[in-house]
Amino acid sequence: MITVNSVSGGKTSAYIAANYKADYNVFSLVRTSDKSCLFPDAKLRQEVSDRIGTEFIGTLEDDMIIYTIFDLEQYIGQKIDWVTGKTFDEIIVRGDKKYLPNVTQRFCTSEMKLQPLFDWWDNNLTEPVEMRIGYRANEIRRVEN
């Protein structure tokens, strides 16, 4: 069976990528189109744009994650595929209003992390895979749901 590691730049997924070899390692990038969040390194910003196939302005996650993914790729000696979906700015627009995620409506993970992963799978593999997704130890309640 084909194995896929979902890497996020966090400790758990980096550990999984480093210790559990997979056929594919995939990073789902959360983007913003807000120019005030411009990623500071222009050369690396262009590299990210090239990898995701669309303009990369910045991320709403910690900028260190971008550096971490490039470092992780070198450390494991295996290519990491970058995927992305709609920007945060596009996700929060519901009709003619902006709707921010909250305690009862957590759609950022599903729409900005998981959906691009599933789209990548559907476009590239389509057959069943073993997908390894790391999550924080304090998120066990969310995992059960």
Side-chain angles (χ1 to χ4, degrees):
M1 178 173 280
I2 294 172
T3 55
V4 179
N5 288 334
S6 168
V7 295
S8 66
K11 292 177 187 176
T12 305
S13 69
Y15 178 86
I16 289 171
N19 292 283
Y20 296 90
K21 187 162 176 55
D23 298 302
Y24 298 93
N25 292 287
V26 184
F27 169 59
S28 189
L29 174 65
V30 174
R31 296 179 299 126
T32 182
S33 56
D34 184 347
K35 300 271 188 199
S36 68
C37 297
L38 188 69
F39 189 78
D41 184 328
K43 184 177 177 186
L44 204 51
R45 191 170 60 243
Q46 183 59 54
E47 176 67 23
V48 172
S49 294
D50 293 344
R51 289 195 180 212
I52 62 174
T54 191
E55 182 183 20
F56 172 64
I57 294 170
T59 181
L60 295 178
E61 298 182 284
D62 190 329
D63 284 347
M64 186 57 67
I65 288 173
I66 304 299
Y67 298 103
T68 300
I69 296 299
F70 281 107
D71 289 346
L72 181 60
E73 186 174 65
Q74 295 301 307
Y75 181 78
I76 65 175
Q78 190 176 5
K79 177 186 172 199
I80 295 177
D81 292 299
W82 291 53
V83 298
T84 192
K86 295 178 182 176
T87 66
F88 176 78
D89 317 271
E90 294 169 320
I91 294 289
I92 64 171
V93 173
R94 307 283 173 158
D96 60 347
K97 296 182 180 182
K98 288 187 177 181
Y99 186 74
L100 295 175
N102 56 57
V103 175
T104 60
Q105 296 291 317
R106 294 180 173 216
F107 50 82
C108 284
T109 298
S110 60
E111 292 193 36
M112 300 183 78
K113 286 286 193 180
L114 294 176
Q115 190 61 52
L117 277 172
F118 293 131
D119 291 342
W120 171 87
W121 165 79
D122 189 41
N123 292 327
N124 292 284
L125 302 173
T126 66
E127 60 198 85
V129 300
E130 178 183 313
M131 177 80 69
R132 301 177 189 137
I133 300 175
Y135 59 90
R136 294 180 191 98
N138 65 354
E139 290 186 324
I140 193 68
R141 184 178 47 83
R142 287 179 65 192
V143 171
E144 290 170 352
N145 291 334

